[in-house]
Amino acid sequence: MRPHKDASDESHSSKWLSGGKAPIDMIAEVPPIGLHQRTAVCYGGEDPALGHPVEYIMLDDTSAEAPATCKYCGLRFYEIAHH
């Protein structure tokens, strides 16, 4: 049986937006991450236990202006050009 919902309960969306920004807007503020390699490995943060499944992202033809994006968390990566 589902518990009774009371007028003081917050909706799921209002919990996320209580800080004034949607999660997608907050992740967009994180600058793209430059790497000296062709493949980025993203697991959603510093603690793999709290992140997402590992994603390997190819960085060929990327730049700071046109980075590759993790499909799970939205972090952006690019390959730093070799000299």
Side-chain angles (χ1 to χ4, degrees):
M1 175 178 236
R2 189 173 179 163
H4 175 69
K5 187 171 180 175
D6 160 298
S8 66
D9 290 342
E10 284 187 270
S11 72
H12 178 76
S13 296
S14 65
K15 287 179 186 177
W16 279 105
L17 298 175
S18 63
K21 293 182 184 178
I24 196 160
D25 295 330
M26 291 188 288
I27 199 72
E29 292 176 355
V30 176
I33 300 164
L35 300 172
H36 291 283
Q37 55 197 39
R38 293 181 58 209
T39 306
V41 180
C42 186
Y43 49 84
E46 295 178 15
D47 184 352
L50 299 175
H52 57 63
V54 174
E55 182 180 15
Y56 296 91
I57 306 165
M58 293 303 299
L59 302 179
D60 296 338
D61 301 319
T62 59
S63 66
E65 296 77 28
T69 304
C70 174
K71 66 184 174 187
Y72 294 106
C73 67
L75 286 175
R76 297 167 294 158
F77 301 89
Y78 67 95
E79 182 179 14
I80 296 172
H82 301 293
H83 296 344

Coordinates of all heavy atoms in Angstrom, one line a residue:
M1 N 0.8 -1.2 0.0 CA 0.0 0.0 0.0 C 0.9 1.2 0.0 O 1.9 1.3 0.7 CB -0.9 0.0 1.2 CG -1.7 1.2 1.4 SD -2.8 1.1 2.8 CE -4.4 1.4 2.0
R2 N 0.5 2.2 -0.8 CA 1.3 3.4 -0.9 C 0.9 4.4 0.2 O -0.2 4.6 0.6 CB 0.9 4.1 -2.2 CG 1.8 5.2 -2.6 CD 1.5 5.7 -3.9 NE 2.4 6.8 -4.2 CZ 2.6 7.3 -5.4 NH1 2.1 6.8 -6.4 NH2 3.4 8.3 -5.5
P3 N 2.0 5.0 0.9 CA 1.7 5.9 2.0 C 1.0 7.2 1.5 O 1.1 7.6 0.3 CB 3.1 6.3 2.5 CG 4.1 5.9 1.4 CD 3.4 4.9 0.6
H4 N 0.2 7.7 2.4 CA -0.6 8.9 2.1 C 0.4 10.1 1.8 O 1.3 10.4 2.5 CB -1.5 9.3 3.2 CG -2.3 10.5 3.0 ND1 -3.2 10.7 2.1 CD2 -2.1 11.7 3.7 CE1 -3.7 11.9 2.2 NE2 -3.1 12.6 3.1
K5 N 0.1 10.8 0.7 CA 0.9 12.0 0.4 C 0.3 13.2 1.0 O -0.9 13.5 0.8 CB 1.0 12.2 -1.1 CG 1.9 13.3 -1.5 CD 2.2 13.3 -3.0 CE 3.1 14.5 -3.3 NZ 3.5 14.5 -4.7
D6 N 1.1 14.0 1.6 CA 0.6 15.1 2.4 C 1.0 16.4 1.6 O 1.9 16.4 0.9 CB 1.3 15.0 3.7 CG 1.4 16.2 4.6 OD1 2.1 17.1 4.2 OD2 0.9 16.1 5.7
A7 N 0.3 17.5 1.8 CA 0.5 18.7 1.1 C 1.9 19.3 1.3 O 2.4 20.1 0.5 CB -0.5 19.8 1.5
S8 N 2.6 18.9 2.4 CA 3.9 19.5 2.7 C 5.0 18.7 2.0 O 6.2 19.1 2.0 CB 4.1 19.5 4.2 OG 4.2 18.1 4.7
D9 N 4.7 17.5 1.4 CA 5.7 16.7 0.7 C 6.2 17.5 -0.5 O 5.4 18.1 -1.3 CB 5.1 15.4 0.2 CG 4.8 14.4 1.3 OD1 5.3 14.6 2.4 OD2 4.0 13.5 1.1
E10 N 7.5 17.4 -0.8 CA 8.1 18.0 -1.9 C 8.0 17.0 -3.1 O 8.1 15.8 -3.0 CB 9.6 18.3 -1.7 CG 9.9 19.4 -0.8 CD 11.4 19.7 -0.8 OE1 12.0 19.1 0.1 OE2 11.9 20.4 -1.6
S11 N 7.9 17.6 -4.3 CA 7.9 16.8 -5.5 C 9.4 16.4 -5.8 O 10.3 17.1 -5.3 CB 7.3 17.5 -6.7 OG 8.2 18.5 -7.1
H12 N 9.6 15.4 -6.6 CA 11.0 15.0 -6.9 C 11.7 16.2 -7.6 O 12.8 16.5 -7.3 CB 10.9 13.8 -7.9 CG 12.2 13.3 -8.3 ND1 13.1 12.7 -7.5 CD2 12.9 13.5 -9.5 CE1 14.2 12.4 -8.2 NE2 14.1 12.9 -9.4
S13 N 11.0 16.8 -8.5 CA 11.7 17.9 -9.3 C 12.0 19.1 -8.3 O 13.1 19.7 -8.5 CB 10.8 18.4 -10.4 OG 10.6 17.4 -11.3
S14 N 11.1 19.4 -7.4 CA 11.4 20.5 -6.5 C 12.6 20.3 -5.6 O 13.4 21.2 -5.3 CB 10.2 20.9 -5.7 OG 9.8 19.9 -4.8
K15 N 12.9 19.0 -5.3 CA 14.0 18.7 -4.5 C 15.3 19.0 -5.3 O 16.3 19.5 -4.7 CB 14.0 17.2 -4.1 CG 13.0 16.9 -3.0 CD 13.0 15.4 -2.7 CE 11.9 15.0 -1.8 NZ 11.9 13.6 -1.5
W16 N 15.3 18.6 -6.6 CA 16.5 18.8 -7.4 C 16.7 20.3 -7.6 O 17.8 20.8 -7.7 CB 16.4 18.1 -8.7 CG 16.7 16.7 -8.6 CD1 15.9 15.6 -8.6 CD2 18.0 16.1 -8.5 NE1 16.6 14.5 -8.5 CE2 17.9 14.7 -8.4 CE3 19.3 16.7 -8.4 CZ2 19.0 13.9 -8.3 CZ3 20.4 15.8 -8.3 CH2 20.2 14.5 -8.2
L17 N 15.6 21.1 -7.8 CA 15.7 22.5 -8.2 C 15.8 23.4 -7.0 O 15.8 24.6 -7.1 CB 14.5 22.8 -9.1 CG 14.5 22.1 -10.4 CD1 13.2 22.4 -11.2 CD2 15.7 22.3 -11.2
S18 N 15.8 22.9 -5.7 CA 15.8 23.7 -4.6 C 17.0 24.7 -4.5 O 16.9 25.7 -3.9 CB 15.7 22.9 -3.3 OG 16.9 22.1 -3.2
G19 N 18.1 24.3 -5.2 CA 19.3 25.2 -5.2 C 19.2 26.2 -6.3 O 20.1 27.0 -6.5
G20 N 18.1 26.2 -7.1 CA 17.9 27.2 -8.1 C 18.4 26.8 -9.5 O 18.1 27.4 -10.5
K21 N 19.2 25.6 -9.6 CA 19.7 25.2 -10.9 C 19.3 23.7 -11.1 O 19.4 22.9 -10.1 CB 21.2 25.3 -10.9 CG 21.7 26.8 -10.9 CD 23.2 26.8 -11.1 CE 23.6 28.2 -11.0 NZ 25.1 28.3 -11.0
A22 N 19.1 23.4 -12.3 CA 18.9 22.0 -12.7 C 20.2 21.3 -12.7 O 21.3 21.9 -13.0 CB 18.2 21.9 -14.0
P23 N 20.3 20.0 -12.5 CA 21.6 19.3 -12.5 C 22.3 19.5 -13.9 O 23.5 19.6 -13.9 CB 21.2 17.8 -12.3 CG 20.0 17.9 -11.5 CD 19.2 19.1 -12.0
I24 N 21.6 19.5 -15.0 CA 22.3 19.7 -16.3 C 22.9 21.0 -16.4 O 24.0 21.2 -17.0 CB 21.3 19.4 -17.4 CG1 22.1 19.2 -18.7 CG2 20.3 20.5 -17.5 CD1 21.3 18.5 -19.8
D25 N 22.4 22.0 -15.7 CA 23.0 23.4 -15.7 C 24.2 23.4 -14.8 O 25.2 24.0 -15.2 CB 22.0 24.4 -15.2 CG 20.8 24.6 -16.2 OD1 21.0 24.4 -17.4 OD2 19.7 24.9 -15.7
M26 N 24.2 22.6 -13.7 CA 25.3 22.6 -12.8 C 26.5 21.9 -13.5 O 27.7 22.3 -13.4 CB 25.0 21.9 -11.5 CG 24.1 22.8 -10.7 SD 23.8 22.1 -9.0 CE 22.8 20.7 -9.3
I27 N 26.3 20.8 -14.2 CA 27.3 20.1 -14.9 C 27.9 20.9 -16.0 O 29.1 20.8 -16.4 CB 26.9 18.6 -15.3 CG1 28.1 17.7 -15.6 CG2 26.1 18.7 -16.6 CD1 28.9 17.3 -14.4
A28 N 27.1 21.7 -16.7 CA 27.5 22.5 -17.8 C 28.5 23.6 -17.3 O 29.3 24.1 -18.1 CB 26.4 23.2 -18.5
E29 N 28.5 23.9 -16.0 CA 29.5 24.9 -15.4 C 30.8 24.3 -15.2 O 31.8 25.0 -15.0 CB 28.9 25.4 -14.1 CG 27.7 26.3 -14.3 CD 27.1 26.7 -13.0 OE1 27.6 26.3 -11.9 OE2 26.2 27.5 -13.0
V30 N 31.0 23.0 -15.2 CA 32.3 22.3 -15.1 C 33.0 22.4 -16.4 O 32.5 22.0 -17.4 CB 32.1 20.8 -14.7 CG1 33.4 20.1 -14.6 CG2 31.3 20.7 -13.4
P31 N 34.2 23.0 -16.4 CA 34.9 23.1 -17.6 C 35.3 21.8 -18.2 O 35.6 20.8 -17.5 CB 36.2 24.0 -17.3 CG 36.3 23.9 -15.8 CD 34.9 23.5 -15.2
P32 N 35.5 21.7 -19.5 CA 35.9 20.4 -20.1 C 37.3 20.0 -19.6 O 38.1 20.9 -19.2 CB 36.0 20.8 -21.6 CG 35.1 21.9 -21.8 CD 35.2 22.7 -20.6
I33 N 37.5 18.7 -19.5 CA 38.8 18.2 -18.9 C 39.7 17.8 -20.0 O 39.4 17.0 -20.8 CB 38.4 17.0 -18.0 CG1 37.5 17.4 -16.9 CG2 39.7 16.3 -17.4 CD1 36.8 16.2 -16.2
G34 N 40.9 18.5 -20.0 CA 41.9 18.2 -21.0 C 42.8 17.0 -20.6 O 43.2 16.9 -19.4
L35 N 43.1 16.1 -21.5 CA 43.9 14.9 -21.2 C 45.0 14.7 -22.3 O 44.8 15.1 -23.4 CB 43.0 13.6 -21.2 CG 41.9 13.6 -20.2 CD1 41.0 12.4 -20.4 CD2 42.4 13.6 -18.8
H36 N 46.1 14.2 -21.9 CA 47.2 13.9 -22.8 C 47.1 12.5 -23.3 O 48.1 11.8 -23.2 CB 48.6 14.2 -22.1 CG 48.8 15.6 -21.8 ND1 49.2 16.5 -22.8 CD2 48.7 16.3 -20.7 CE1 49.4 17.7 -22.2 NE2 49.1 17.6 -20.9
Q37 N 46.0 12.0 -23.7 CA 45.8 10.7 -24.2 C 44.6 10.7 -25.1 O 43.8 11.6 -25.1 CB 45.6 9.7 -23.0 CG 44.4 10.1 -22.0 CD 44.5 9.4 -20.7 OE1 45.6 9.2 -20.2 NE2 43.4 9.0 -20.2
R38 N 44.4 9.6 -25.8 CA 43.3 9.5 -26.8 C 42.0 9.0 -26.2 O 41.0 9.0 -26.9 CB 43.8 8.6 -28.0 CG 44.9 9.2 -28.8 CD 45.3 8.2 -29.9 NE 44.1 8.0 -30.8 CZ 43.9 6.9 -31.5 NH1 44.8 6.0 -31.4 NH2 42.9 6.8 -32.2
T39 N 42.0 8.4 -25.0 CA 40.8 7.8 -24.5 C 40.6 8.4 -23.0 O 41.5 8.3 -22.2 CB 41.0 6.3 -24.4 OG1 41.3 5.8 -25.7 CG2 39.7 5.7 -23.9
A40 N 39.4 8.8 -22.8 CA 39.0 9.2 -21.4 C 38.3 8.0 -20.8 O 37.6 7.3 -21.4 CB 38.1 10.4 -21.4
V41 N 38.5 7.9 -19.5 CA 37.8 6.9 -18.7 C 37.0 7.6 -17.7 O 37.5 8.3 -16.8 CB 38.8 5.9 -18.0 CG1 38.0 4.8 -17.2 CG2 39.7 5.2 -19.0
C42 N 35.6 7.5 -17.8 CA 34.8 8.3 -16.9 C 33.9 7.3 -16.1 O 33.3 6.4 -16.6 CB 33.9 9.2 -17.7 SG 32.8 10.3 -16.6
Y43 N 33.9 7.5 -14.8 CA 33.0 6.7 -13.9 C 32.2 7.6 -13.0 O 31.7 7.2 -12.0 CB 33.8 5.7 -13.1 CG 35.0 6.2 -12.4 CD1 34.9 6.8 -11.2 CD2 36.3 6.1 -13.0 CE1 36.0 7.3 -10.5 CE2 37.4 6.6 -12.4 CZ 37.3 7.2 -11.1 OH 38.4 7.7 -10.5
G44 N 32.1 8.9 -13.3 CA 31.2 9.8 -12.6 C 31.7 10.5 -11.4 O 30.9 11.2 -10.8
G45 N 33.0 10.4 -11.1 CA 33.5 11.2 -10.0 C 34.7 10.5 -9.4 O 35.2 9.6 -9.9
E46 N 35.1 11.1 -8.2 CA 36.3 10.6 -7.6 C 36.1 9.2 -6.9 O 37.0 8.5 -6.7 CB 36.8 11.6 -6.6 CG 37.3 12.9 -7.3 CD 37.7 13.9 -6.3 OE1 38.0 13.6 -5.1 OE2 37.9 15.1 -6.7
D47 N 34.9 8.9 -6.5 CA 34.6 7.7 -5.8 C 33.8 6.8 -6.7 O 32.6 7.0 -6.9 CB 33.8 7.9 -4.5 CG 33.6 6.7 -3.7 OD1 33.9 5.6 -4.2 OD2 33.1 6.8 -2.6
P48 N 34.4 5.7 -7.3 CA 33.7 4.8 -8.2 C 32.4 4.2 -7.6 O 31.5 3.9 -8.3 CB 34.7 3.8 -8.6 CG 36.0 4.3 -8.2 CD 35.8 5.3 -7.1
A49 N 32.4 4.0 -6.3 CA 31.2 3.4 -5.7 C 30.0 4.3 -5.8 O 28.9 3.8 -5.6 CB 31.5 3.1 -4.2
L50 N 30.2 5.6 -6.0 CA 29.1 6.5 -6.0 C 28.8 7.0 -7.4 O 27.9 7.9 -7.6 CB 29.3 7.7 -5.1 CG 29.5 7.4 -3.7 CD1 29.9 8.7 -2.9 CD2 28.3 6.8 -3.1
G51 N 29.5 6.5 -8.4 CA 29.4 7.0 -9.8 C 28.4 6.2 -10.7 O 27.3 5.9 -10.2
H52 N 28.9 6.0 -11.9 CA 28.1 5.2 -12.9 C 28.9 4.2 -13.5 O 30.1 4.1 -13.2 CB 27.5 6.2 -13.9 CG 28.5 7.0 -14.6 ND1 29.5 6.5 -15.4 CD2 28.8 8.4 -14.6 CE1 30.3 7.5 -15.9 NE2 29.8 8.6 -15.5
P53 N 28.4 3.3 -14.4 CA 29.2 2.4 -15.1 C 30.4 3.0 -15.8 O 30.2 4.2 -16.3 CB 28.3 1.7 -16.1 CG 26.9 1.9 -15.5 CD 27.0 3.3 -14.8
V54 N 31.5 2.4 -15.9 CA 32.7 2.9 -16.6 C 32.3 3.1 -18.1 O 31.8 2.3 -18.7 CB 33.9 2.0 -16.5 CG1 35.1 2.5 -17.3 CG2 34.3 1.9 -15.0
E55 N 32.7 4.3 -18.6 CA 32.6 4.6 -20.0 C 33.9 5.0 -20.5 O 34.6 5.9 -19.9 CB 31.6 5.7 -20.2 CG 31.4 6.0 -21.7 CD 30.4 7.0 -22.1 OE1 30.0 7.8 -21.3 OE2 30.1 7.1 -23.3
Y56 N 34.3 4.4 -21.6 CA 35.6 4.8 -22.3 C 35.2 5.7 -23.5 O 34.4 5.3 -24.3 CB 36.3 3.5 -22.8 CG 36.7 2.6 -21.7 CD1 35.9 1.6 -21.2 CD2 38.0 2.8 -21.0 CE1 36.3 0.8 -20.1 CE2 38.4 2.0 -20.0 CZ 37.5 1.0 -19.5 OH 37.9 0.3 -18.5
I57 N 35.8 6.9 -23.5 CA 35.4 7.9 -24.5 C 36.6 8.2 -25.4 O 37.6 8.6 -24.9 CB 34.9 9.1 -23.8 CG1 33.8 8.8 -22.8 CG2 34.5 10.2 -24.8 CD1 33.5 9.9 -21.8
M58 N 36.5 8.0 -26.7 CA 37.5 8.3 -27.6 C 37.6 9.8 -27.8 O 36.5 10.5 -28.0 CB 37.3 7.6 -29.0 CG 37.4 6.1 -28.9 SD 39.0 5.5 -28.3 CE 40.1 6.2 -29.5
L59 N 38.8 10.3 -27.8 CA 39.0 11.8 -27.8 C 39.5 12.3 -29.2 O 40.0 13.4 -29.3 CB 39.9 12.2 -26.7 CG 39.3 11.9 -25.3 CD1 40.3 12.4 -24.2 CD2 38.0 12.5 -25.1
D60 N 39.6 11.4 -30.2 CA 40.1 11.8 -31.5 C 39.2 13.0 -32.0 O 38.0 13.0 -31.8 CB 40.0 10.7 -32.5 CG 40.9 9.5 -32.1 OD1 41.9 9.8 -31.4 OD2 40.7 8.4 -32.6
D61 N 39.8 14.0 -32.6 CA 39.1 15.1 -33.2 C 38.3 15.9 -32.2 O 37.3 16.5 -32.5 CB 38.2 14.7 -34.3 CG 39.0 14.0 -35.4 OD1 40.1 14.5 -35.7 OD2 38.5 13.0 -36.0
T62 N 38.8 16.0 -30.9 CA 38.1 16.8 -29.9 C 39.0 18.0 -29.6 O 40.2 18.1 -29.9 CB 37.9 16.1 -28.6 OG1 39.1 15.6 -28.1 CG2 36.9 14.9 -28.8
S63 N 38.4 19.1 -29.0 CA 39.1 20.2 -28.5 C 38.4 20.8 -27.4 O 37.3 20.4 -27.0 CB 39.2 21.3 -29.7 OG 37.9 21.8 -30.0
A64 N 39.0 21.8 -26.7 CA 38.3 22.5 -25.6 C 37.0 23.1 -26.0 O 36.0 23.1 -25.3 CB 39.2 23.5 -25.0
E65 N 36.9 23.5 -27.3 CA 35.7 24.1 -27.8 C 34.7 23.0 -28.3 O 33.5 23.3 -28.4 CB 36.0 25.0 -29.0 CG 36.8 26.2 -28.6 CD 38.3 25.9 -28.4 OE1 38.8 24.9 -29.0 OE2 39.0 26.6 -27.6
A66 N 35.1 21.8 -28.6 CA 34.3 20.8 -29.1 C 34.7 19.4 -28.4 O 35.2 18.5 -29.0 CB 34.4 20.6 -30.6
P67 N 34.4 19.3 -27.1 CA 34.7 18.2 -26.3 C 33.8 17.0 -26.6 O 32.7 17.2 -27.1 CB 34.7 18.6 -24.9 CG 33.6 19.7 -24.9 CD 33.7 20.4 -26.3
A68 N 34.2 15.8 -26.2 CA 33.4 14.6 -26.1 C 32.7 14.6 -24.8 O 33.2 15.0 -23.8 CB 34.2 13.3 -26.3
T69 N 31.4 14.1 -24.7 CA 30.6 14.1 -23.5 C 30.3 12.7 -23.0 O 29.9 11.9 -23.8 CB 29.3 14.9 -23.8 OG1 29.6 16.2 -24.3 CG2 28.5 15.0 -22.5
C70 N 30.4 12.5 -21.7 CA 30.0 11.3 -21.1 C 28.5 11.1 -21.1 O 27.8 12.0 -20.7 CB 30.5 11.2 -19.6 SG 29.9 9.7 -18.7
K71 N 28.0 10.0 -21.6 CA 26.6 9.8 -21.8 C 25.9 9.6 -20.5 O 24.7 9.8 -20.4 CB 26.3 8.7 -22.7 CG 26.7 7.3 -22.2 CD 26.4 6.2 -23.2 CE 27.0 4.9 -22.7 NZ 26.9 3.9 -23.8
Y72 N 26.6 9.3 -19.4 CA 25.9 9.1 -18.1 C 25.9 10.4 -17.3 O 24.8 10.7 -16.7 CB 26.7 8.0 -17.3 CG 26.6 6.7 -17.9 CD1 27.7 6.1 -18.5 CD2 25.4 5.9 -17.9 CE1 27.6 4.8 -19.1 CE2 25.3 4.7 -18.4 CZ 26.5 4.1 -19.0 OH 26.4 2.9 -19.6
C73 N 27.0 11.1 -17.2 CA 27.0 12.2 -16.2 C 27.2 13.6 -16.9 O 27.0 14.6 -16.2 CB 28.1 12.0 -15.2 SG 29.8 12.1 -15.8
G74 N 27.5 13.6 -18.1 CA 27.6 14.9 -18.8 C 29.0 15.6 -18.7 O 29.2 16.6 -19.3
L75 N 30.0 14.9 -18.0 CA 31.3 15.5 -18.0 C 31.9 15.5 -19.4 O 31.6 14.6 -20.2 CB 32.2 14.7 -17.1 CG 32.0 14.9 -15.6 CD1 32.9 13.9 -14.8 CD2 32.2 16.3 -15.1
R76 N 32.7 16.6 -19.7 CA 33.2 16.7 -21.0 C 34.7 16.6 -21.0 O 35.4 17.0 -20.1 CB 32.8 18.1 -21.6 CG 31.3 18.2 -21.7 CD 30.8 19.6 -22.0 NE 31.1 20.4 -20.8 CZ 31.2 21.7 -20.8 NH1 31.1 22.4 -21.9 NH2 31.5 22.3 -19.6
F77 N 35.3 15.9 -22.1 CA 36.7 15.7 -22.2 C 37.2 16.0 -23.6 O 36.5 15.9 -24.5 CB 36.9 14.2 -22.0 CG 36.5 13.7 -20.6 CD1 35.2 13.2 -20.5 CD2 37.3 13.7 -19.5 CE1 34.7 12.7 -19.3 CE2 36.9 13.2 -18.3 CZ 35.6 12.7 -18.2
Y78 N 38.5 16.4 -23.6 CA 39.1 16.6 -24.9 C 40.6 16.3 -24.8 O 41.2 16.2 -23.8 CB 39.0 18.1 -25.4 CG 39.7 19.1 -24.5 CD1 41.0 19.5 -24.9 CD2 39.2 19.6 -23.4 CE1 41.7 20.5 -24.1 CE2 39.8 20.5 -22.6 CZ 41.1 21.0 -23.0 OH 41.8 21.9 -22.2
E79 N 41.2 15.9 -26.0 CA 42.6 15.6 -26.0 C 43.4 16.9 -26.2 O 43.1 17.7 -27.1 CB 42.9 14.6 -27.2 CG 44.3 14.2 -27.2 CD 44.6 13.2 -28.4 OE1 43.7 13.0 -29.3 OE2 45.7 12.6 -28.4
I80 N 44.4 17.0 -25.4 CA 45.3 18.2 -25.5 C 46.3 17.9 -26.7 O 46.9 16.8 -26.7 CB 46.1 18.4 -24.2 CG1 45.1 18.8 -23.1 CG2 47.2 19.5 -24.4 CD1 45.7 18.9 -21.7
A81 N 46.3 18.8 -27.6 CA 47.1 18.6 -28.8 C 48.6 18.3 -28.5 O 49.2 18.9 -27.6 CB 47.0 19.8 -29.7
H82 N 49.2 17.3 -29.2 CA 50.6 17.0 -29.1 C 51.4 18.0 -30.0 O 50.9 18.4 -31.0 CB 50.9 15.6 -29.5 CG 50.1 14.6 -28.7 ND1 50.3 14.4 -27.3 CD2 49.1 13.7 -29.0 CE1 49.5 13.5 -26.9 NE2 48.7 13.0 -27.9
H83 N 52.6 18.3 -29.5 CA 53.4 19.3 -30.3 C 54.4 18.5 -31.2 O 54.9 17.6 -30.9 CB 54.2 20.2 -29.4 CG 53.3 21.2 -28.7 ND1 51.9 21.4 -29.0 CD2 53.5 21.9 -27.6 CE1 51.4 22.2 -28.1 NE2 52.3 22.6 -27.3

